[in-house]
Amino acid sequence: MERRFLTVKEAKVAIPASHDKIYKLIRAGQLEVRKLGRRTLISVASIERLHDTLPRADIDRSNEAA
């Protein structure tokens, strides 16, 4: 069975981001969460949506040695 939720600790690795940044994303509504007792669980689907919205990196390769 594929996991649908990650703990905050696991999400920090998956995104990657700091503990504070994870909670900022939650408060901003960018990550969907559920509570199981005291545990905060973050939807894998919302992490994937976040990844899809990140801008592509524009890497300048003109200074690389040929």
Side-chain angles (χ1 to χ4, degrees):
M1 176 187 276
E2 188 175 333
R3 292 184 65 188
R4 295 178 53 199
F5 293 92
L6 300 177
T7 64
V8 171
K9 185 176 181 179
E10 292 167 330
K12 286 169 44 177
V13 174
I15 289 181
S18 70
H19 185 87
D20 288 340
K21 182 63 174 177
I22 295 290
Y23 278 97
K24 285 179 184 176
L25 292 167
I26 291 169
R27 284 191 297 275
Q30 293 183 273
L31 292 175
E32 178 186 337
V33 296
R34 298 285 187 266
K35 294 294 281 188
L36 181 60
R38 295 183 62 191
R39 295 180 73 177
T40 300
L41 301 175
I42 301 170
S43 145
V44 170
S46 68
I47 292 171
E48 291 171 349
R49 283 192 299 271
L50 176 68
H51 283 159
D52 291 343
T53 65
L54 295 175
R56 291 197 172 270
D58 184 20
I59 299 174
D60 181 11
R61 296 178 187 249
S62 62
N63 294 331
E64 288 185 10

